[in-house]
Amino acid sequence: MKPSETVDAELVALDKALYDALNPLASAMRARSTGLPKDRMWDADPVEVALSILAAWKVVDVEVGRLAAQAARTAGSYGASYEQMGAAWGITRQGARKKWPEAIDRPSTEAKRKSSTVELFGGTAELSWSPACGGWRWSGHGADGMRGEAERASSFSTKEEAAAHAGVFLKEHAADRS
């Protein structure tokens, strides 16, 4: 048995606790909807009584969903991955990401656009976001002392694409090209 599996005794105790918690909610909802005094609020067609209980379970279901999302956000804030959350919930990583999209903080757009440096073949290139052209650019110094940069009219849609072009420049301007 996996540590996360429940045993019958735990399920029986959970059912009892849930029914004990549901009764006051169902009674209050039933009294409001019928206008009957509390001592007569269950005097009705059995279908209506059963539907009242179903409506109360819906309230519980929504609240459990809210609490589960809160638990997922807490787990994410401590470093849990969507894969781990999915395993805990019995769903896939993708299912967990869809169920709790805000559980893990993703870097902001500004953080994603942070400049960085590429060091290859003895040279360096700076990768930076250009708001003016709405893309990534590079400029660098080859190991042979040559300077270079992305053409004025060009920018790249991803940082990785700009890095690849910078890498080509740095390779072409390595100190020892033998």
Side-chain angles (χ1 to χ4, degrees), residues 8-9 14 31-33 44 47 50 54 72 74 77 79 82 93 106 110-113 126 129-130 140 154 159 169 172:
D8 288 341
L14 176 62
R32 279 194 303 276
S33 70
V47 171
L54 182 61
T74 300
S77 74
Y82 279 117
R93 174 185 55 80
R106 291 188 175 80
E110 290 303 314
K112 289 179 188 173
R113 292 181 179 166
E126 178 80 16
W129 175 258
S130 173
S154 68
K159 185 188 274 191
F169 168 81
E172 289 174 356

Side-chain angles (χ1 to χ4, degrees), residues 29-109:
M29 289 175 64
R30 179 78 181 145
R32 279 194 303 276
S33 70
T34 63
L36 293 172
K38 288 204 180 233
D39 62 335
R40 293 193 49 234
M41 68 183 162
W42 295 106
D43 294 344
D45 177 23
V47 171
E48 300 224 0
V49 171
L51 290 172
S52 295
I53 293 172
L54 182 61
W57 279 120
K58 174 61 178 172
V59 171
V60 171
D61 183 54
V62 169
E63 186 62 9
V64 166
R66 185 187 69 77
L67 293 172
Q70 182 179 350
R73 284 190 305 276
T74 300
S77 74
Y78 284 116
S81 68
Y82 279 117
E83 184 175 358
Q84 292 170 310
M85 286 183 239
W89 199 255
I91 58 177
T92 65
R93 174 185 55 80
Q94 294 89 344
R97 185 184 307 265
K98 185 175 179 181
K99 186 168 194 61
W100 305 298
E102 302 301 320
I104 295 178
D105 287 333
R106 291 188 175 80
S108 68
T109 301

Side-chain angles (χ1 to χ4, degrees), residues 4-19:
S4 63
E5 290 179 2
T6 54
V7 295
D8 288 341
E10 293 167 333
L11 290 175
V12 168
L14 176 62
D15 284 354
K16 181 181 180 341
L18 288 171
Y19 280 115

Side-chain angles (χ1 to χ4, degrees), residues 138-160:
W138 66 270
S139 63
H141 294 353
D144 64 359
M146 191 74 162
R147 285 186 51 115
E149 64 182 274
E151 295 178 17
R152 292 246 185 256
S154 68
S155 67
F156 304 98
S157 58
T158 66
K159 185 188 274 191
E160 293 77 13

